[in-house]
Amino acid sequence: MAEQPENDPGTLLSSYDMFSPEHERVKWGVFEHARQACPVAHTDADGGGQYVITRYEDVRRVLEDPATFSSAGVAPRPSPVTLNPLDADPPYQLDLRKLLNPLFSRTFLMKFEPQMRKSATALIDNWVSRGRVELISEFAAPFVGSVLAQIVFNETDSTKMQRAIEIVTAVALNSDDESYFNLASLAAEYIVEREDNPIDRDDVLNAITTGTVLGGRPLTEDERLGVVTVLFLGGLDTTRGAIGAIAYHLARRPELEHRVRDPKWIRQDMDEFIRLESPVGCLGRTATRDVELGGVRIKQGEQLLVRFDSANRDDTKFPDAAELRFDTVRSGHAGFGLGVHRCLGAHLARIQITIAFDELLKRITNLRFASGGPADVHWAPGIANGPEALDLAFDLV
Ligand code: HEM
């Protein structure tokens, strides 16, 4: 029998490692092969191994059946803190969502619009005269960091707010243990402060310190910290990645700029970018019973890696799925998830992306790669999909 080369998609699939930069570079080919030949594929990577779920219909089935596919073990690597509601199941998860959903509705979030625009323009002021920017570290990361810090901590003292923004932005920029530790300490401070001095104000801290779950019990200290942690884990790399991915496409295809300048782009075109690039690539589930999926028998307790990104490029659901298509309505993409865990921050992400490009395109035009080309852009391995850095040149409007 002919020997299979190491980078053959079939060979790679059985050892596919989402944290490997080499595997990241070839993952679209690996998933395409999987969807056709082995849609529920076992990989030995990362310890105990897991089933990689690659077809849209299987991904949908898993996400819509939380009783069989529990969100326990949602993080592909164990997390030192609880990540509720992300790692929880109904009914507890639904109770938490009831507490949080009103604070992430579009109407509620639009109260923060003036502050969001102020953050965006202040960042653009720092580099616009240069004609060149590293868009991720000089705009996308600090922008999403400052917006999320303002929404979660809702601080009225401007000095304290600035400190919180700096701590959250360090996480958005570095994602390292030290910055997460500083953020967890800050979150714990804010929670204790609010417990000791309750304020009757509609915000996240009030919801988690006064709200109840499961028939009336308050959240424990760990659960409160878990909510704040998951908001930052869920809201920073994701929206940063989405802004970076859209800017990458604008630099690659200048003819797209006019679409993004049209306010109508937020109705449909924004979702097409999110479908194609899936800023959240994957998350995990655990089988609660023996079950068959895509012709494969999965045993109770086994781990699944649900690939939102592969589902979003499944040609049987989205014809010509590897391309941006603005001439057709592509409904039902899995970019914000499907089922009970559908993204809590989807409205926030959409508002931030809208404001980011609105403010950028008021000042700059003709985005292009300042060094190298599209093939030189590195996409980070791991859960989030997005360019690690984006060195762009532009003209002034
Ligand atoms: C473009 C940006 C974003 C994308 C693509 C995205 C994607 C997702 C996906 C795919 C899920 C489902 C997870 C699952 O089924 O296990 C999810 C859940 C979640 N997202 Fe987002 N997200 C984005 C922005 C945000 C933001 C800004 C926040 C901050 C509030 C956020 C907070 C959350 C939370 C808390 C959950 C868990 C919900 C639950 O378990 O009930 N996300 N997101």
Side-chain angles (χ1 to χ4, degrees):
M1 205 165 73
E3 224 176 90
Q4 296 289 320
E6 249 176 59
N7 56 359
D8 166 73
T11 314
L12 254 181
L13 194 53
S14 58
S15 62
Y16 172 74
D17 177 358
M18 59 179 280
F19 294 105
S20 149
E22 288 77 41
H23 290 192
E24 170 68 25
R25 275 194 282 281
V26 294
K27 75 172 182 194
W28 296 117
V30 174
F31 297 152
E32 189 181 357
H33 167 83
R35 287 193 301 271
Q36 282 160 18
C38 187
V40 174
H42 193 269
T43 163
D44 298 328
D46 222 21
Q50 54 201 181
Y51 288 94
V52 187
I53 318 302
T54 55
R55 272 188 194 159
Y56 182 87
E57 64 176 317
D58 295 330
V59 165
R60 173 155 223 141
R61 188 179 144 204
V62 170
L63 297 177
E64 291 184 344
D65 183 1
T68 309
F69 302 103
S70 163
S71 282
V74 69
R77 280 182 181 164
S79 156
V81 284
T82 73
L83 298 174
N84 46 334
L86 186 67
D87 64 358
D89 295 317
Y92 170 80
Q93 180 262 348
L94 291 175
D95 282 0
L96 259 188
R97 287 293 298 254
K98 272 188 215 137
L99 288 181
L100 296 170
N101 284 346
L103 303 167
F104 289 89
S105 71
R106 191 178 153 76
T107 317
F108 185 83
L109 292 166
M110 286 309 279
K111 289 193 227 161
F112 292 90
E113 184 188 0
Q115 285 149 267
M116 292 191 212
R117 289 200 182 267
K118 219 167 133 202
S119 300
T121 48
L123 288 164
I124 297 169
D125 286 343
N126 290 337
W127 44 258
V128 69
S129 60
R130 235 194 281 148
R132 189 170 168 163
V133 62
E134 197 291 276
L135 197 87
I136 306 301
S137 63
E138 294 188 283
F139 182 70
F143 174 59
V144 301
S146 71
V147 169
L148 204 51
Q150 294 175 61
I151 286 169
V152 175
F153 295 127
N154 198 18
E155 174 63 77
T156 46
D157 177 312
S158 60
T159 312
K160 287 187 185 163
M161 189 68 253
Q162 197 45 43
R163 173 174 166 250
I165 289 176
E166 279 162 23
I167 290 175
V168 175
T169 301
V171 174
L173 284 168
N174 311 322
S175 298
D176 59 0
D177 289 350
E178 191 191 339
S179 52
Y180 273 113
F181 177 80
N182 292 338
L183 176 57
S185 308
L186 180 75
E189 258 176 52
Y190 267 105
I191 292 168
V192 170
E193 158 85 24
R194 209 43 102 75
E195 286 165 348
D196 294 345
N197 305 295
I199 312 174
D200 186 16
R201 196 195 280 165
D202 266 349
D203 65 12
V204 171
L205 291 171
N206 192 44
I208 58 175
T209 48
T210 64
T212 59
V213 288
L214 298 176
R217 80 158 173 83
L219 299 182
T220 65
E221 209 67 17
D222 274 359
E223 288 170 330
R224 288 175 184 160
L225 193 56
V227 170
V228 177
T229 307
V230 88
L231 291 176
F232 288 110
L233 277 182
L236 295 176
D237 290 5
T238 50
T239 318
R240 182 193 70 183
I243 293 171
I246 295 169
Y248 163 87
H249 284 286
L250 293 183
R252 235 182 106 214
R253 292 179 50 191
E255 78 278 10
L256 293 181
E257 185 181 313
H258 87 276
R259 296 198 77 91
V260 178
R261 283 190 174 280
D262 182 343
K264 285 204 290 292
W265 87 286
I266 61 174
R267 282 197 217 146
Q268 196 178 306
D269 296 0
M270 188 192 289
D271 272 86
E272 176 61 356
F273 285 111
I274 289 171
R275 177 199 65 78
L276 183 78
E277 297 301 352
S278 301
V280 172
C282 62
L283 279 169
R285 292 293 189 270
T286 304
T288 59
R289 59 176 174 87
D290 292 1
V291 60
E292 192 177 313
L293 183 71
V296 173
R297 198 93 205 125
I298 296 175
K299 292 210 187 78
Q300 180 181 5
E302 287 191 303
Q303 293 296 307
L304 286 75
L305 191 65
V306 182
R307 297 291 337 185
F308 303 99
D309 49 7
S310 176
N312 278 341
R313 291 205 185 189
D314 186 337
D315 283 305
T316 61
K317 171 72 182 169
F318 307 108
D320 205 10
E323 299 301 324
L324 286 169
R325 288 272 305 268
F326 298 109
D327 57 342
T328 169
V329 179
R330 314 247 217 193
S331 56
H333 75 75
F336 287 112
L338 299 163
V340 290
H341 288 277
R342 207 181 131 71
C343 181
L344 170 70
H347 290 300
L348 177 57
R350 287 199 169 99
I351 294 169
Q352 287 182 92
I353 297 167
T354 306
I355 291 176
F357 284 96
D358 195 31
E359 295 299 338
L360 281 171
L361 296 179
K362 272 184 198 163
R363 316 275 294 274
I364 66 177
T365 182
N366 287 331
L367 271 68
R368 52 198 181 269
F369 297 106
S371 52
D376 300 305
V377 174
H378 290 280
W379 297 70
I383 297 174
N385 280 324
E388 280 177 341
L390 207 50
D391 194 7
L392 299 178
F394 53 81
D395 300 320
L396 296 183
V397 170

